Amino acid sequence: MENIRWALITSIAPIAWGSTYYVTHHFLPADHPLWGSVLRALPAGVLLLVLRRKRPRGQWWWRSLVLGTLNMGAFFALVYLAAQLLPTSLASTIMATSPVAMIALAWPLLGERPRGRAVLGAVTGILGVVLMLASGVDSVDPLGVVVSVAAMAMSAFGHLLTKRWGAGTDLLSVTSWQLIAGGAVLVVPALVVEGAPPPLTGTALLGFAFVSVVATAIAFVVWFTGLRHLEAGTVGLIGLLNPVTGVMLGLLLAGESLVGHQVLGLVLVLSGVLLGQTTRTPMSRTPRRLRPARQAPPRAPGEVEETDMEREELNEVLHKPIAQELLASSIPARLAYIGVDGDPRVVPIAFLWDGARIVMGTVPKSAKVRALRHNPNVSLTIDTAGQYPPHVLLIRGTASVELVDGVPYEYVEASRKLVPAGEFAAWEAGVRALYEQMVLIRIEPRWAKLLDFETTIPQAVEDLVRAHQG
C-alpha cells in the first residue's frame, strides 16, 4: 500500500506534464519555445525558493547548474529542436523509451538492479506508446533522432543524479535551485534565437501561471519525491502517463478521436505502468498488527546472523519514508567500531547521507581513523529521542577513510544539522581556521533494518509473541 500511495502521488507529475500539450497549443504564444521554457522554469524555481528560503551551499552551486541543465535547460532546448526535425509521433516515441534508460542507468548509479517486471512493463508501455502515437512517417532526419535520443538520455541521467545527490537535502530547495539554474541557462539562447520576449496577453499569463506552478513547480517536486521513495525504473514507467494524458485531453477537450490501434496502445501503456510497480506479499501480522522488520529463516543454535542484503532489498529499507526522515534529521548517529585493542567502541557523530553512503568528518589523528583502517566493519544506529513509539534505523556497513585538505563540504553540512543557526557562522569560521586537513569517513551500507514499533518490530520480539500465542 505504501508503494501504491507513492506511485499515485508521483503520477501527478506526468499527468501535469501531459496537460502542457493542450495548454501550450491553446493558450501560449506560438514560435517562442525557448522563452516559453524560461517563463516556465524561472518563476517556478523562484516560487519554491520563496517558500523554502534556502540558498545553495558548497557543492550545490555546481550541482544545481548540472541538474538544472540536464533536467530543464538543455533538455527543453533539445526537445524543441527535435520537434522541428522529427514528426511529433516519432519524437514522442523516442522520449517514451526513458524508462528503459532509467532502469539501465539506475544499476551503476544507484545500485538498483533491473527487475524482470519493470523491464517487461517498460517494453509493454513503449509498445503501447508506439501504437497510440502511430502515424505514417515518410522520412526520418538522422539528426533529429540523435537529438531526441540525447534529450531522453539527458533527462533520465539528470533524474537519477537528482535522486543520488539530493538524498538528505531538502526537496523543495533542490528543486528550486535546479529550476532557477535551468531557466537561467536558456536566457541567452532565447535572446539569440528568438529575440525579445513575446508580449503576454491575459490568456497567456494564465497559461504560463498554470504551466509554471502546476506543470513545473508542483510536478517536479512530486516527481523527485517519487524518486526518493520508489525505484527509478518504477518512476520511469509512471512517466508514460505523460503521452496518455496528452492524448486523453485531446480526446476530451479538443474534439479529437481515437482509432482502434490507439485504444489498444492506451491499454498497453496502462498495463505496462501497472506491471512495473513493486509489489510485496504481505507478511503475517500479530493481533496488534506488528510484523518483523525482516523475515529470516530460523537459525540453528550458534549460527551467525546474516549480515549482508541484496542491493534491491537494502535500497527498499533505506528509501522508506521513516528511514529517509532519520537520515535527513539532526539526530547524531551512534557509530560502533572495533578499536585497535580489540575492544568495541561507540561514539555519537554528525553525518550526512549522500544518497548512497553515510559520510562523516573527523580529526586525522583520531583513534577511530586508526581503528577503521585496521578493521573497516562498522554498525550505526539512528534513533529518535523523546518520541513514542521510537523510530530506529540500524545499519551495518564498510567504512573507507580519506585524508582531504581543508574542511570538506560534507563535514560542514553534517554539522549544520546540529549547530544552532544563529551560531553557525561563528562555528564554521572557527572550524575552518582550526583544521588544515580532515578525514572523511564514508560508510557503504551492506545491511539495514528499520523499526517503528507500530508495523515493524525486532525479529526476536516477534518470535516471542508467536511462542506465547502458540
Side-chain angles (χ1 to χ4, degrees), residues 178-311:
Q178 56 183 301
L179 281 170
I180 292 173
V185 299
L186 285 177
V187 172
V188 173
L191 286 170
V192 172
V193 176
E194 299 175 358
L200 300 179
T201 63
T203 300
L205 287 173
L206 289 175
F208 274 121
F210 173 84
V211 169
S212 185
V213 175
V214 177
T216 304
I218 295 175
F220 274 105
V221 167
V222 298
W223 182 256
F224 293 146
T225 299
L227 278 169
R228 288 196 175 186
H229 296 285
L230 299 171
E231 293 180 0
T234 298
V235 175
L237 281 168
I238 295 173
L240 293 177
L241 296 177
N242 183 337
V244 170
T245 302
V247 170
M248 294 305 296
L249 286 178
L251 177 67
L252 297 175
L253 301 179
E256 299 174 1
S257 58
L258 296 178
V259 296
H261 66 82
Q262 290 177 307
V263 175
L264 176 60
L266 282 170
V267 173
L268 287 177
V269 171
L270 296 177
S271 299
V273 173
L274 293 175
L275 184 62
Q277 301 309 301
T278 301
T279 57
R280 301 286 176 182
T281 301
M283 304 179 73
S284 61
R285 294 174 181 266
T286 67
R288 295 184 61 191
R289 301 182 62 79
L290 295 174
R291 63 177 174 84
R294 180 189 178 208
Q295 283 282 22
R299 297 191 301 273
E303 182 180 350
V304 178
E305 182 180 359
E306 180 65 40
T307 57
D308 287 345
M309 301 171 68
E310 293 293 333
R311 175 59 62 177

Side-chain angles (χ1 to χ4, degrees), residues 25-36:
H25 182 72
H26 291 278
F27 296 97
L28 301 186
D31 302 323
H32 288 85
L34 293 179
W35 275 118

